[in-house]
Amino acid sequence: MKLTLKVWRQQNSQEKGRFETYQVSDVSKDMSFLEVFDVLNERLINEGKDPIAFDHDCREGICGMCSMYINGRAHGPWDETTTCQLHMRAYNDGDTIVVEPWRAAAFPVIKDLTVDRTAFDRIIQAGGYISVNTGNAVDANAIPIDKHDADAAFAAAACIGCGACVAACKNSSAMLFTSAKVSQLALLPQGHPERKQRALNMVAQMDKEGFGSCTNTGACEAECPKGISLTNIARLNREVLVAGLSSE
Amino acid sequence: MLNAKIPAGPLETKWSKYKSTVKLVNPANKRKLEVIVIGTGLAGASAAASLAELGYKVKAFCFQDSPRRAHSIAAQGGINAAKNYQNDGDSVFRLFYDTVKGGDYRSREGNVYRLAEVSASIIDQCVAQGVPFAREYGGLLSNRSFGGTQVQRTFYAAGQTGQQLLLGAYSALQRQVALGNVKMYNRHEMLDIVTVDGKARGIIARDLVSGKLERHFGHAVLLCSGGYGNVFFLSTNAMGSNVTAAWKAHKRGAYFGNPCFTQIHPTCIPVSGDHQSKLTLMSESLRNDGRIWVPKKKDDNRKATDIPEEERDYYLERRYPAFGNLVPRDVASRAAKERCDEGYGVGASKMAVYLDFAEAILRYGKIEAGKKGDDNAGKEEIIKLGKSVVAEKYGNLFDMYAKITGENPYETPMRIYPAVHYTMGGLWVDYELMTTVPGLYALGEANFSDHGANRLGASALMQGLADGYFVIPYTIGNYLADELQTKPIPLDHPAFVETEKAVQDQLDKLMSIKGQHSVDHFHKALGKIMWDKCGMARNEKGLTEAIGEIQALRAEFWQNVRIPGSQHEFNPELEKAGRVADFLELGELMCKDALQRKESCGGHFREESQTEEGEAKRNDDNFSFVAAWEYKGPGSSELHKEALTFDIVHPTQRSYK
Ligand SMILES: Cc1cc2nc3c(=O)[nH]c(=O)nc-3n(C[C@H](O)[C@H](O)[C@H](O)COP(=O)(O)OP(=O)(O)OC[C@H]3O[C@@H](n4cnc5c(N)ncnc54)[C@H](O)[C@@H]3O)c2cc1C
Ligand code: SF4
Ligand code: FES
């Protein structure tokens, strides 16, 4: 296949960016989307040009590092698929593909398609944990947990922290990400002692980082590569409400 | 001979006795002691969090944009622990025994026993952190079995166990960051160790965003930097996994243990073309239900589903009736290679075998139909029910396979082939996890410790977390108790200045070459040499050639590599170049080590040393030792030996028949 790639190039966070157009040929259907960038970068290096910087590591859809906004969709056209798992079978000869970084005030561009997502770490630091020191634990089977709750907690915990939900949202809200962690811990008995403070603190941190507010458009859920459900946002809202009431 | 400092006394009491007699540091003093942790995978995150909880001042480093992205996140299948929740005869002793045997008698009894002993506490700790392991309807934890064992001791969270464990350790780490006990440095790469009077006292790191070099002091330094499988270019490791931290430590005096011990995992998605950037694992847990086969006829080009039952060769079940599809990885990998080399391989490249779920789908379907009391369910209904059971167990893996290959594994068998997966070798450490450089420790996959010549499935996660949560918090005190008088060393100390200069010189040199070929070009060339000559089968001739080829490639790299951009900015090509430069040195040492070990053991298969049936043949009289290599200047190293003694488990020819 021959493809046209229009890629966002930006030297660093200060400079203004622009689109650059590249023609790539010999793209096979078996290639992953990132492998097309590998091949293009190899060519750019050979031509003495600056290769395109993009984040990636596991290339298995689990580390959450890859993050490309492809033809107007976070992680591209396939549902529940990260950029690294997207394969060129999704495209046809002659297609034009526009590739941009995540765009959100809370995710400043570092270079080209690479952005700074440390705001997510700080949201977790605000309460996304259970305060249990190493060695404090009771036997793992001492607290049976309803399988449905355990499964629901797992489904929420599957979030990979990629930030596609933020990129997909017109308000750049981080509600889906934050609610996934709050839900996971609220669904498990171990998480109960701290649940009120957790919800309030994590939401406060989210606001402080400059993420927008949630207006229930559902764009986040639609683009989330891990199928994190909107019910988590409903649960977070409930947690915040209950915590707010009881702290009054 | 090297001394591993294994405590005296009976196996069962070594660790408890050690813990009750080891030196302690009181809480007020801990606050004065600074510890540097390189890496925030399972080993690093658990260590950094636990040490910070104890009161030490911790600085943690990772090269990704967040500690949550370490390669550990990709572990799929599960984590072992001797809980015996299934009442199927498991015990600390049995886990210990299986691990020593699985490692083909090339690990230390004392270490492995400790690992088995602390394994149960790991599960407790993780559950307390909110790790959502799979559960049964009664609400209790579920287990599955893994290769090389006959009990069910593997805990799991669908096919995302590593993710859930790492997020548990990450959250513990973030809590300590919030409390101010850990300072986290994301997008930082350690490029050298600073030693003062022979002791590790700090590091030089590069801020990968600004390109600036930084000096950091620590009373002790922990390397938790993962494995080096990417020396083969293609592996199941994350793209950034590398040996740089360990290799730089090696060049500063830390011995490298058993560098040639590499694990080739039997079930990975085969290479699809030259563009291939990495290989994807299909978890070993699939071998619980999947059956591996090739056609009985050579060059059989029929579709898998068109080949009748009697014309299929379930070669693992045929060769190893006792363990069948659940033989250890090294055995399964070699068996797949043997079939493909003989011309029975499948798929376009003929370098693949089938992993088939058709029978499991029927079996589960019948059980489900039975549960519903539907004894007359038709085949279609049964298959539908069976597929949903298989989807619940392995759904994410099946989806991943479908995305990558474009084939539906519920309908047609998966094609799989062995790929580089894990490195048992690593920095040599003693019982306390200290390298041969005082104050420098290695944890997790970065050390060589517990898996001998072959790691059992679900044991790397166990070892990483054992090291970080339950071993280092005790053993580090034994060293730091004597360091209370050591004041933080000023960053303008000559040792810092000189080490930073060495790092700067290497960066300058790399940038100045401006050659013809990209870093990947060299990395791929190295990977090919390693895979062909130091991969699944090795022999004297090939290894000798490989050493020469690697030396030539290394020389070419330093003449002709091309790195774009500058070092004073975010420059992923420069990062890769530094890593590949180190791989080019490591690769040579791996070949030397493989050459010196004239026996087959575990994942190390020397063609000259095999039984009549083609199984690995150990040579205990001459090779019952850990090879620990000392760096002696470019391309030169000296072999030291740590003798392995077996008081409890008596080495025999491993048999899985
Ligand atoms: C696909 C896959 C599946 C697996 N599945 C299983 C399984 O089911 N069960 C099991 O037991 N094992 C499994 N393993 C093995 C297991 O995941 C690893 O051995 C283990 O996670 C390694 O953990 P670690 O903490 O030692 O290192 P890693 O998780 O690799 O972490 C390394 C850390 O070091 C940092 N780092 C490295 N170099 C530097 C440097 N120079 N400067 C700064 N930071 C640095 C990195 O940023 C990272 O944080 C699997 C492995 C793979 C590849
Ligand atoms: S909720 Fe989904 S889209 Fe958002 S960070 Fe998590 S995995 Fe990514
Ligand atoms: S590179 Fe890890 S999720 Fe895509």
Side-chain angles (χ1 to χ4, degrees):
Chain A
M1 289 190 285
K2 275 203 176 74
L3 299 169
T4 304
L5 292 179
K6 292 194 172 160
V7 183
W8 185 258
R9 305 300 311 260
Q10 183 172 342
Q11 195 52 39
N12 51 47
S13 57
Q14 281 85 45
E15 271 176 45
K16 272 181 75 177
R18 69 201 136 61
F19 280 105
E20 221 27 273
T21 303
Y22 306 95
Q23 309 295 334
V24 285
S25 44
D26 292 334
V27 174
S28 102
K29 298 252 174 202
D30 287 329
M31 286 167 96
S32 73
F33 199 77
L34 295 184
E35 282 166 351
V36 176
F37 276 73
D38 292 342
V39 171
L40 173 58
N41 274 348
E42 178 83 15
R43 191 182 88 202
L44 294 176
I45 293 167
N46 287 336
E47 289 169 356
K49 296 185 183 141
D50 195 22
I52 301 157
F54 61 92
D55 264 336
H56 65 106
D57 199 22
C58 73
R59 297 203 178 188
E60 288 193 5
I62 193 75
C63 75
M65 201 123 171
C66 62
S67 42
M68 292 185 186
Y69 197 77
I70 304 165
N71 281 347
R73 293 191 62 182
H75 290 306
W78 284 357
D79 285 344
E80 298 200 13
T81 305
T82 55
T83 305
C84 60
Q85 292 296 90
L86 176 62
H87 277 66
M88 299 316 286
R89 251 169 272 120
Y91 296 94
N92 296 312
D93 192 34
D95 280 356
T96 295
I97 309 174
V98 181
V99 187
E100 299 167 76
W102 286 174
R103 297 201 192 271
F107 289 163
V109 171
I110 292 177
K111 185 177 180 188
D112 300 336
L113 304 172
T114 307
V115 301
D116 179 352
R117 286 170 287 191
T118 46
F120 270 9
D121 284 337
R122 290 186 292 273
I123 293 177
I124 299 295
Q125 283 157 25
Y129 46 74
I130 288 168
S131 299
V132 51
N133 283 358
T134 303
N136 276 350
V138 297
D139 184 85
N141 261 350
I143 315 168
I145 299 176
D146 184 312
K147 182 167 161 48
H148 297 103
D149 290 341
D151 288 351
F154 170 75
C159 164
I160 58 174
C162 63
C165 45
V166 175
C169 174
K170 65 180 168 51
N171 308 321
S172 302
S173 166
M175 276 294 268
L176 196 61
F177 167 79
T178 308
S179 69
K181 186 49 75 182
V182 168
S183 281
Q184 176 203 341
L185 300 180
L187 282 159
L188 297 170
Q190 295 91 319
H192 287 181
E194 297 167 283
R195 72 194 280 187
K196 289 178 190 158
Q197 275 315 309
R198 173 180 305 119
L200 294 175
N201 291 348
M202 288 178 73
V203 167
Q205 186 65 34
M206 188 177 81
D207 293 342
K208 199 168 138 197
E209 295 291 345
F211 292 105
S213 50
C214 173
T215 53
N216 288 313
T217 66
C220 52
E221 184 191 56
E223 300 295 39
C224 171
K226 294 293 137 179
I228 303 297
S229 137
L230 283 179
T231 55
N232 290 301
I233 296 188
R235 191 175 292 109
L236 170 60
N237 286 332
R238 228 163 32 236
E239 292 286 314
V240 169
L241 194 69
V242 171
L245 287 177
S246 61
S247 68
E248 268 166 21
Chain B
M1 278 281 179
L2 277 167
N3 181 1
K5 296 200 276 179
I6 311 274
L11 198 56
E12 304 79 34
T13 60
K14 283 180 195 294
W15 179 234
S16 47
K17 196 162 147 247
Y18 175 92
K19 283 196 292 184
S20 52
T21 52
V22 69
K23 284 182 226 158
L24 299 175
V25 180
N26 81 36
N29 281 331
K30 286 201 183 96
R31 264 178 263 130
K32 297 181 203 147
L33 293 166
E34 298 177 44
V35 180
I36 289 178
V37 179
I38 304 301
T40 56
L42 285 177
S46 60
S50 303
L51 294 177
E53 287 163 6
L54 287 173
Y56 294 109
K57 273 168 69 181
V58 177
K59 285 180 171 182
F61 294 79
C62 72
F63 63 75
Q64 290 93 345
D65 70 331
S66 162
R68 66 179 291 150
R69 312 217 195 272
H71 165 59
S72 294
I73 200 98
Q76 301 171 349
I79 175 168
N80 289 329
K83 278 286 197 187
N84 194 29
Y85 282 161
Q86 305 307 323
N87 195 28
D88 58 357
D90 200 9
S91 63
V92 167
F93 185 84
R94 203 177 281 277
L95 174 53
F96 153 77
Y97 177 88
D98 287 346
T99 309
V100 173
K101 176 185 173 197
D104 217 357
Y105 310 98
R106 289 293 173 264
S107 50
R108 286 182 195 140
E109 285 191 336
N111 276 57
V112 176
Y113 197 86
R114 174 179 67 189
L115 176 65
E117 230 178 318
V118 303
S119 65
S121 309
I122 297 173
I123 304 304
D124 299 340
Q125 185 64 30
C126 295
V127 167
Q129 290 168 343
V131 169
F133 284 120
R135 289 181 184 266
E136 305 292 350
Y137 281 99
L140 301 177
L141 293 164
S142 172
N143 290 111
R144 53 169 57 143
S145 40
F146 252 58
T149 65
Q150 290 172 315
V151 293
Q152 294 199 321
R153 65 160 74 99
T154 305
F155 294 79
Y156 63 100
Q160 286 150 255
T161 316
Q163 179 197 29
Q164 295 310 319
L165 295 174
L166 183 61
L167 292 181
Y170 161 79
S171 64
L173 177 66
Q174 294 307 308
R175 174 173 160 245
Q176 293 304 315
V177 171
L179 291 169
N181 301 330
V182 175
K183 177 126 180 54
M184 185 67 221
Y185 295 83
N186 302 341
R187 292 203 199 264
H188 273 67
E189 183 162 29
M190 183 209 104
L191 292 179
D192 215 340
I193 296 278
V194 178
T195 59
V196 178
D197 299 332
K199 292 179 172 175
R201 290 300 186 200
I203 61 158
I204 304 297
R206 182 166 175 267
D207 176 335
L208 299 179
V209 176
S210 68
K212 285 204 182 70
L213 294 183
E214 296 173 1
R215 305 169 187 177
H216 296 273
F217 164 80
H219 287 90
V221 178
L222 273 47
L223 298 184
C224 313
S225 46
Y228 51 84
N230 276 347
V231 66
F232 290 85
F233 184 70
L234 287 182
S235 84
T236 62
N237 289 11
M239 301 298 286
S241 297
N242 71 90
V243 77
T244 290
W247 193 254
K248 293 297 200 273
H250 176 55
K251 291 171 96 169
R252 297 265 171 211
Y255 292 4
F256 212 104
N258 297 332
C260 81
F261 285 173
T262 313
Q263 177 160 86
I264 317 267
H265 196 293
T267 54
C268 303
I269 301 179
V271 173
S272 74
D274 289 340
H275 55 263
Q276 195 86 31
S277 59
K278 74 155 285 172
L279 293 168
T280 301
L281 177 74
M282 288 286 107
S283 167
E284 175 160 314
S285 58
L286 294 174
R287 285 199 273 142
N288 268 305
D289 284 315
R291 296 178 71 196
I292 295 181
W293 62 275
V294 291
K296 282 189 179 158
K297 232 173 47 201
K298 283 189 187 179
D299 263 326
D300 191 331
N301 288 321
R302 284 176 292 177
K303 270 184 20 203
T305 41
D306 291 343
I307 300 178
E309 198 55 35
E310 60 282 3
E311 292 178 41
R312 301 175 175 192
D313 176 15
Y314 294 90
Y315 58 88
L316 287 177
E317 297 168 28
R318 168 169 61 77
R319 286 177 66 178
Y320 309 99
F323 280 69
N325 292 295
L326 283 175
V327 291
R329 294 173 176 178
D330 53 335
V331 177
S333 289
R334 273 197 296 278
K337 178 177 184 321
E338 189 273 336
R339 284 293 81 186
C340 294
D341 288 351
E342 291 298 312
Y344 296 93
V346 302
S349 66
K350 299 281 172 205
M351 291 306 274
V353 301
Y354 288 128
L355 177 61
D356 196 336
F357 290 85
E359 193 192 279
I361 289 174
L362 279 180
R363 175 162 44 86
Y364 284 123
K366 281 186 194 141
I367 297 174
E368 287 304 298
K371 278 189 200 162
K372 292 179 159 182
D374 183 0
D375 293 335
N376 304 320
K379 191 163 176 195
E380 240 169 72
E381 177 62 14
I382 288 175
I383 290 181
K384 195 170 139 233
L385 290 168
K387 279 182 186 167
S388 66
V389 175
V390 168
E392 184 180 339
K393 290 187 155 213
Y394 311 113
N396 69 322
L397 298 169
F398 276 51
D399 289 350
M400 189 146 74
Y401 183 86
K403 277 173 197 160
I404 292 174
T405 62
E407 292 168 11
N408 178 354
Y410 292 101
E411 303 292 341
T412 175
M414 291 182 177
R415 285 173 296 110
I416 51 151
Y417 196 69
V420 173
H421 178 60
Y422 180 88
T423 47
M424 282 75 69
L427 291 176
W428 184 90
V429 290
D430 62 19
Y431 189 71
E432 299 184 305
L433 305 181
M434 201 194 283
T435 67
T436 47
V437 176
L440 181 67
Y441 294 80
L443 284 67
E445 195 174 339
N447 72 27
F448 89 104
S449 66
D450 299 350
H451 308 293
N454 172 58
R455 174 175 69 77
L456 290 182
S459 285
L461 302 182
M462 169 173 72
Q463 181 228 329
L465 290 179
D467 288 359
Y469 283 135
F470 296 108
V471 178
I472 198 73
Y474 289 93
T475 61
I476 202 170
N478 206 29
Y479 175 76
L480 291 178
D482 294 331
E483 293 293 327
L484 295 171
Q485 302 311 321
T486 309
K487 296 266 166 322
I489 293 172
L491 297 177
D492 56 2
H493 184 283
F496 276 102
V497 177
E498 282 157 26
T499 313
E500 184 183 302
K501 181 166 182 311
V503 171
Q504 186 60 59
D505 288 350
Q506 168 158 346
L507 291 170
D508 292 343
K509 172 84 182 97
L510 283 169
M511 293 308 302
S512 70
I513 300 169
K514 300 195 186 336
Q516 298 295 316
H517 296 297
S518 70
V519 176
D520 279 359
H521 166 89
F522 291 98
H523 197 176
K524 285 180 185 175
L526 173 65
K528 183 160 170 26
I529 301 172
M530 294 300 293
W531 180 245
D532 289 346
K533 295 179 173 165
C534 194
M536 260 192 286
R538 303 155 172 191
N539 59 50
E540 181 162 344
K541 177 166 169 289
L543 290 166
T544 314
E545 285 166 6
I547 291 172
E549 290 168 25
I550 294 169
Q551 288 168 344
L553 186 67
R554 191 165 68 224
E556 159 86 1
F557 172 89
W558 284 103
Q559 296 291 321
N560 211 3
V561 71
R562 172 183 289 189
I563 303 162
S566 105
Q567 54 173 299
H568 308 293
E569 61 176 354
F570 184 62
N571 189 343
E573 285 296 312
L574 177 57
E575 295 165 29
K576 278 200 281 185
R579 295 170 193 162
V580 171
D582 292 332
F583 280 141
L584 283 162
E585 296 182 9
L586 166 76
E588 181 179 348
L589 185 65
M590 289 172 71
C591 294
K592 276 188 187 161
D593 187 42
L595 194 57
Q596 108 11 75
R597 193 169 281 278
K598 294 189 177 72
E599 65 160 351
S600 295
C601 57
H604 170 66
F605 190 71
R606 279 289 298 263
E607 286 170 350
E608 300 92 332
S609 180
Q610 49 182 309
T611 65
E612 273 165 22
E613 292 151 316
E615 304 292 343
K617 194 163 127 206
R618 282 198 329 271
N619 177 344
D620 291 332
D621 291 343
N622 296 318
F623 292 97
S624 202
F625 61 81
V626 176
W629 295 87
E630 180 183 2
Y631 183 78
K632 288 279 187 186
S636 158
S637 5
E638 185 183 333
L639 176 64
H640 300 269
K641 294 178 184 175
E642 177 201 334
L644 291 170
T645 49
F646 295 91
D647 299 326
I648 307 293
V649 186
H650 291 292
T652 50
Q653 176 69 36
R654 252 184 345 160
S655 170
Y656 292 94
K657 299 191 191 270

